[in-house]
Structures are given as structure tokens and as C-alpha cells.
Amino acid sequence: MSTSERLIESTRELLWERGYVGTSPKAILERSGAGQGSMYHHFKGKPDLALAAIRRTAEEMRATAEGVLSGPGTPYERVEAYLRRERDVLRGCPVGRLTMDPDVIVDEALRAPVDETLDWLREQLAQIVEEGKESGEFAPSLDGEEIAATAVATVQGGYVLARASGSPAAFDAAVRGLLALLAPPDAIDH
Amino acid sequence: MSTSERLIESTRELLWERGYVGTSPKAILERSGAGQGSMYHHFKGKPDLALAAIRRTAEEMRATAEGVLSGPGTPYERVEAYLRRERDVLRGCPVGRLTMDPDVIVDEALRAPVDETLDWLREQLAQIVEEGKESGEFAPSLDGEEIAATAVATVQGGYVLARASGSPAAFDAAVRGLLALLAPPDAIDH
């Protein structure tokens, strides 16, 4: 791996573990094994390096979600696949967690990939819900964009509950609750 | 206000704005106007002061939620009142946001009030959902604890969506989506 790659990958790990405020340039150098000179050769500073790291994490999250959402199955099954996809729940979401980082939120450039990724995810889910309304799987009274927001919020908030309790059980309960509410009438007792 | 009070209140503000990792003893002293000596006279250090601050924030959140949950109305209306209660959405939840703080999560004492408060909230909501199942407002197939987890997760994740997009609209959409799913059959088109 090139030094520039090592710097980006170390920053991604640190942002996930400790957030932006909690990640010092010194910690990035230590983890990547890069020297200060080479960090400033490749990147203008912590915000510039963090932006490269956040963009890559956002792209990966998008690719993972895309794989699940565009997979086989009915609209309900694809929403279910998204909600139930394998996650390291106690680590939280590497993208969503950045919204609790005050220095990310006030920086338009750093916030942009976070906003775009969650927005894209909501659009994909909204489309699937609309498909499900057409096929009769979801009630016609539901609003695709609202249900999509509820689904993404349930996942993001599920991480909060899991990390508070130190167990993934609360995440799973939140997902099961939403799936029970979304289930087509003839599937409720399955 | 006594010096001890000023220290606690300043710490509460800073924890909400910048998290635990992002709050230095120096920032607490500056905001409270207290001297270093008086901080260490009243508290053993940052963790001790943060614990007092987190406990008070947790108590306040519990009192606010209790006021809404034990208010008048049917079970659905009380869940709705909880989901729709006035919030400064873009600031996020002062309790939930601490779960993204690595130094809070690894410290049993600091995590305890966060866990207890969210747990208590889920229990209250679970009871209300069970009441609603008995009265026929909610489907008998629903699990009170799961729906409660979904409701709290929707709120906590709603903050994530709102802060990512810089607007409370995404929070409101997530709440409306959940309410549409929870609505008693004869209220769906209201």
C-alpha cells in the first residue's frame, strides 16, 4: 500500500472509532506509520485527509447498500434485506456517526458526502416503497419518502440503542418492529 | 448559581455541543468562569464532573418524556405525542449523542445513565403499545418491546438524518412515516 493509501485507511479507521474531533494528526501518523512530512506532501492537512477518508467510506457504504437494494425479491423483501443486512452493530455506522461530530457538521465540504449518501439511500428506498405500492404489497396511503426516512432512521437509531446497551439486541428489536409494521397483511403472522 | 452548579451546567452544554471527547477541562473552566482549583475541589476530574452532568441531563430527558407519555389520550395518541414533541432537532439528543462518544461507551459509569434512560423510555413505550393492543388500537400481532425500540430508534436516527441534511425536515418525515404505519386502520386517511 502506498503512503497516501495508508494515510487514508488509517484515517477511516480512526474516524469510525473516535470521530473527527477525537482524531489527532498525531494519531493518524502513528497508526499509518507515515511521517509528518509525507502526510503534508499528500494532503493539505487533517480536513483534506478526512475528506478523502469520508468520501471513500461513503462510496463503500453506497456500494454495499446498492448490492442489497438492487438484489432479487419483492419490494418488501428488498427493504427487509437492507434492514437485516449483516452489520457490526456495536461499531455503529461510519457515515451516520459523523453527524454527531460538531466539526464535521459545521464544515460544508466534510458534511456533503454524509448528506449525499444518506439522501441517496432514502431515494432508493423511497422508490422501492413506491414499487411496492403499485404491486399492492404496501398500502397505497403510505408515502415512499416518509417510509424511507423511517427505515434509515430506524437503522441509524438502532445503532444508538445498541451502543447504549452494549448489545446488538436493541438494534435487532427495532428492525423487527419496523418489519412487523411494514409486513404485507398476509405475512403478518409468519 | 454556585460554582459547582456553574461547572455542571457548563459541562452539560459542552457535552451536548461537542461530546465528551471534544470537551476539555480548559473549555469547561472557560465557559463556567470557575478556577482550576475550585473545579478540583468539587469534582475529582473530567469524568466525575461529566458523570454529574450526564446524570442531570438524563433526569431532565426522563421528566420531559414522562410528561408526554403519561399525558391524556389513547395509546396511539400518546406515542404520537412522544414522537412529535417539540425538539431542537438540529442539536440532536443530549443523551443519545453520547453513544457515539468512544470514551463514554468504554466507561461503565458514564454509559450507565445513557443506557438506563433509553431503556426506561423503551419500557414506557412498550407498556403503552401493550395497552393499545388490549384496547384494539394496535394489531395483536405487534410486539410492544419491538415497536418501542422502533419508535426510540426513529427519533434517534431522525436526528442523524436532520443533522446530515442540515434541516429538521428529514426528522419530521421519519416520524410521519412511523405514525402512518402505526395508525389504527380507521385513521389511515386522516
Side-chain angles (χ1 to χ4, degrees), chain A residues 17-19 21-23 91-93 96-97 99-103 105 111 114-115 118-119 122 139 141-143 145-150 152-161 163-166 169-170 172-178 180-182 188-189, chain B residues 17-19 21-23 91-93 96-97 99-103 105 111 114-115 118-119 122 139 141-143 145-150 152-161 163-166 169-170 172-178 180-182 188-189:
Chain A
E17 291 165 22
R18 303 200 46 82
V21 169
T23 296
R91 289 185 78 189
C93 174
R97 70 104 65 230
T99 61
M100 295 304 145
D101 224 311
D103 295 353
I105 288 305
R111 186 169 63 82
V114 176
D115 185 24
L118 293 172
D119 205 52
R122 283 163 59 197
S141 58
L142 296 179
D143 177 298
E145 288 183 17
E146 288 177 5
I147 300 301
T150 308
V152 179
T154 297
V155 167
Q156 293 294 329
Y159 289 123
V160 170
L161 299 186
R163 285 173 64 92
S165 61
D172 296 339
V175 161
R176 281 199 307 274
L178 181 60
L181 293 171
L182 281 171
I188 275 179
D189 292 323
Chain B
E17 290 164 23
R18 303 200 47 82
V21 169
T23 296
R91 290 185 77 187
C93 174
R97 70 107 61 229
T99 61
M100 296 304 145
D101 225 310
D103 295 354
I105 288 305
R111 186 168 63 82
V114 176
D115 185 23
L118 292 173
D119 206 52
R122 284 162 59 197
S141 58
L142 297 179
D143 178 297
E145 287 183 17
E146 288 177 6
I147 300 300
T150 308
V152 179
T154 297
V155 166
Q156 293 294 329
Y159 289 123
V160 171
L161 299 186
R163 285 172 65 91
S165 61
D172 296 338
V175 161
R176 280 199 306 273
L178 182 60
L181 293 170
L182 281 171
I188 275 180
D189 293 322

Side-chain angles (χ1 to χ4, degrees), chain B residues 30-53:
Chain B
E30 275 173 16
R31 183 157 313 192
S32 64
Q36 194 167 357
S38 86
M39 174 165 139
Y40 289 99
H41 170 73
H42 292 290
F43 300 96
K44 273 177 262 169
K46 176 177 148 182
D48 189 38
L49 178 49
L51 182 58

Side-chain angles (χ1 to χ4, degrees), chain B:
Chain B
M1 231 195 279
S2 70
T3 306
S4 153
E5 275 297 301
R6 285 210 317 275
L7 283 162
I8 293 176
E9 290 301 318
S10 302
T11 305
R12 291 178 65 197
E13 288 170 16
L14 285 163
L15 288 176
W16 198 353
E17 290 164 23
R18 303 200 47 82
Y20 183 81
V21 169
T23 296
S24 63
K26 189 168 162 250
I28 297 171
L29 294 178
E30 275 173 16
R31 183 157 313 192
S32 64
Q36 194 167 357
S38 86
M39 174 165 139
Y40 289 99
H41 170 73
H42 292 290
F43 300 96
K44 273 177 262 169
K46 176 177 148 182
D48 189 38
L49 178 49
L51 182 58
I54 293 172
R55 279 192 180 140
R56 188 174 297 177
T57 297
E59 273 162 31
E60 266 190 17
M61 180 175 141
R62 197 159 155 156
T64 306
E66 194 148 38
V68 172
L69 294 170
S70 65
T74 67
Y76 174 82
E77 286 164 352
R78 281 147 69 205
V79 173
E80 182 177 21
Y82 160 71
L83 291 169
R84 289 200 198 270
R85 83 167 173 81
E86 209 181 323
R87 286 177 171 91
D88 196 347
V89 168
L90 289 178
R91 290 185 77 187
C93 174
V95 175
R97 70 107 61 229
L98 294 166
T99 61
M100 296 304 145
D101 225 310
D103 295 354
V104 170
I105 288 305
V106 298
D107 185 318
E108 285 294 322
L110 294 178
R111 186 168 63 82
V114 176
D115 185 23
E116 285 159 18
T117 306
L118 292 173
D119 206 52
W120 170 87
L121 188 54
R122 284 162 59 197
E123 276 170 32
Q124 301 301 304
L125 282 161
Q127 254 172 23
I128 294 175
V129 173
E130 293 300 334
E131 270 177 55
K133 283 165 64 177
E134 276 171 40
S135 69
E137 210 179 15
F138 293 130
S141 58
L142 297 179
D143 178 297
E145 287 183 17
E146 288 177 6
I147 300 300
T150 308
V152 179
T154 297
V155 166
Q156 293 294 329
Y159 289 123
V160 171
L161 299 186
R163 285 172 65 91
S165 61
S167 152
F171 180 99
D172 296 338
V175 161
R176 280 199 306 273
L178 182 60
L179 284 170
L181 293 170
L182 281 171
D186 63 353
I188 275 180
D189 293 322
H190 288 193

Side-chain angles (χ1 to χ4, degrees), chain A residues 57-72:
Chain A
T57 298
E59 273 163 30
E60 265 190 19
M61 180 175 142
R62 196 160 156 157
T64 307
E66 195 147 37
V68 173
L69 293 171
S70 65

Side-chain angles (χ1 to χ4, degrees), chain A residues 16-60:
Chain A
W16 198 354
E17 291 165 22
R18 303 200 46 82
Y20 183 82
V21 169
T23 296
S24 64
K26 189 168 162 248
I28 297 171
L29 295 177
E30 275 172 16
R31 182 155 315 191
S32 64
Q36 194 167 355
S38 85
M39 174 165 139
Y40 288 99
H41 171 72
H42 292 291
F43 300 97
K44 273 176 263 170
K46 177 177 148 182
D48 188 39
L49 178 47
L51 182 58
I54 293 172
R55 280 192 179 140
R56 188 174 295 177
T57 298
E59 273 163 30
E60 265 190 19

